[in-house]
Amino acid sequence: MPAKPKAKDIEEYRSKRHFEATPEPPPEEEQARKPAVKAAGKTASKTAVKVAAKSAPKKSSARAPIFVVQKHDASRLHYDFRLEVDGVLASWAVPKGPSMNLGVRHLAVHVEDHPFNYKDFEGNIPEGNYGAGSVIVWDRGTYRNMLADKPASKGRRTMRQAIEAGKLEIELQGEKLKGAFALVRMEDSDDQWLLMKMKDEFAKDGTQEVIKRRTRSVISGKTVEEVAREGDKQGSKGRSAGGS
Ligand code: MN
């Protein structure tokens, strides 16, 4: 078996999905903003790229970067923790979800970057497709890269540099998640990280987990179960589509 590619980029996102069969957004906008070498998509015409570039989100310098946590009831329930970095969503799959409790460290598997417009995605990924199951936007908001404010001598880093280095410190301003969190890559691992709350006024100590207390979407108010039932009623367009 060939080694898994190291780059966790949008091309990996694209190659795993059949966009005629899944309601997930194709990564057109991100392609338009990437260097031309990477923009050689099958169907991307020059006009399409121009149009996409116009609707691309404002540069991150103009506003705070966003984060989103999607609850994804796939073959294994998990929470997808995504941070806007350079126009895409750097992503980690967290089987046990985020915790506001100090001292709780949950495995977070670094997965491929997702397109920026994935941030609003809720719905059902049909059977036979990658990640089949229902998705809600469990939390969202903005974040601050705490390492960007450090003196150069104390480890100042951009988000990309921090991901490379395997250590992020971020402050979240979500509806459910608030305050400082750390994401730290485990030693000798390529994609296994740990997500944990850092000490601050928002940190809790052994209270009931926020994922148990608050189960609904911050967009629609629905649970993943409700979204799944709606999908069953409607039927899904891609039921017979192949894929792994
Ligand atoms: Mn997922």
Side-chain angles (χ1 to χ4, degrees):
M1 209 179 119
K4 213 179 150 195
K6 255 196 161 177
K8 306 218 175 266
D9 65 13
I10 286 292
E11 283 314 310
E12 186 179 341
Y13 172 87
R14 176 190 300 284
S15 67
K16 283 178 172 173
R17 292 168 175 82
H18 301 280
F19 294 103
E20 68 287 353
T22 177
E24 295 166 289
E28 279 168 83
E29 289 184 6
E30 283 63 33
Q31 274 220 324
R33 277 178 289 133
K34 280 218 163 180
V37 221
K38 285 258 178 178
K42 266 183 282 177
T43 57
S45 70
K46 272 186 180 168
T47 328
V49 168
K50 249 187 198 168
V51 170
K54 265 188 189 169
S55 59
K58 283 190 183 124
K59 276 204 171 152
S60 48
S61 56
R63 52 164 179 77
I66 63 107
F67 84 94
V68 61
V69 180
Q70 279 153 319
K71 185 177 181 181
H72 185 181
D73 196 4
S75 50
R76 266 187 78 186
L77 177 75
H78 60 273
Y79 293 75
D80 289 301
F81 187 82
R82 311 192 196 279
L83 300 166
E84 178 189 2
V85 178
D86 300 338
V88 295
L89 301 177
S91 298
W92 288 260
V94 187
K96 292 184 175 171
S99 173
M100 292 296 293
N101 286 326
L102 262 188
V104 175
R105 302 152 148 229
H106 283 167
L107 175 68
V109 181
H110 193 194
V111 298
E112 75 274 17
D113 289 347
H114 278 49
F116 180 76
N117 54 356
Y118 204 93
K119 67 186 175 58
D120 303 313
F121 176 69
E122 288 199 352
N124 287 291
I125 302 168
E127 273 172 49
N129 288 275
Y130 181 75
S134 53
V135 177
I136 59 166
V137 175
W138 180 81
D139 197 17
R140 63 177 175 181
T142 57
Y143 79 89
R144 185 174 70 85
N145 172 16
M146 295 162 70
L147 299 181
D149 301 334
K150 292 205 168 183
S153 60
K154 294 258 168 90
R156 178 164 66 210
R157 289 196 175 114
T158 65
M159 284 297 284
R160 269 298 161 213
Q161 289 169 338
I163 291 171
E164 282 292 308
K167 186 168 182 256
L168 310 184
E169 290 180 14
I170 47 176
E171 190 177 66
L172 303 181
Q173 274 191 355
E175 295 184 32
K176 297 169 184 170
L177 300 180
K178 292 181 198 297
F181 285 78
L183 251 175
V184 181
R185 187 164 56 217
M186 291 162 82
E187 248 176 80
D188 303 321
S189 177
D190 177 36
D191 56 3
Q192 301 211 327
W193 296 55
L194 294 169
L195 174 65
M196 67 203 81
K197 185 76 192 74
M198 292 168 73
K199 199 167 188 178
D200 61 15
E201 72 267 34
F202 299 106
K204 303 271 193 268
D205 196 6
T207 56
Q208 193 189 19
E209 294 293 346
V210 61
I211 59 163
K212 302 274 183 211
R213 280 188 287 117
R214 305 188 63 184
T215 58
R216 293 183 177 276
S217 162
V218 291
I219 292 183
S220 63
K222 292 172 187 165
T223 63
V224 279
E225 292 81 7
E226 286 166 358
V227 168
R229 278 198 293 276
E230 282 173 15
D232 289 343
K233 259 186 277 168
Q234 288 164 6
S236 28
K237 57 176 179 175
R239 269 290 142 84
S240 58
S244 47

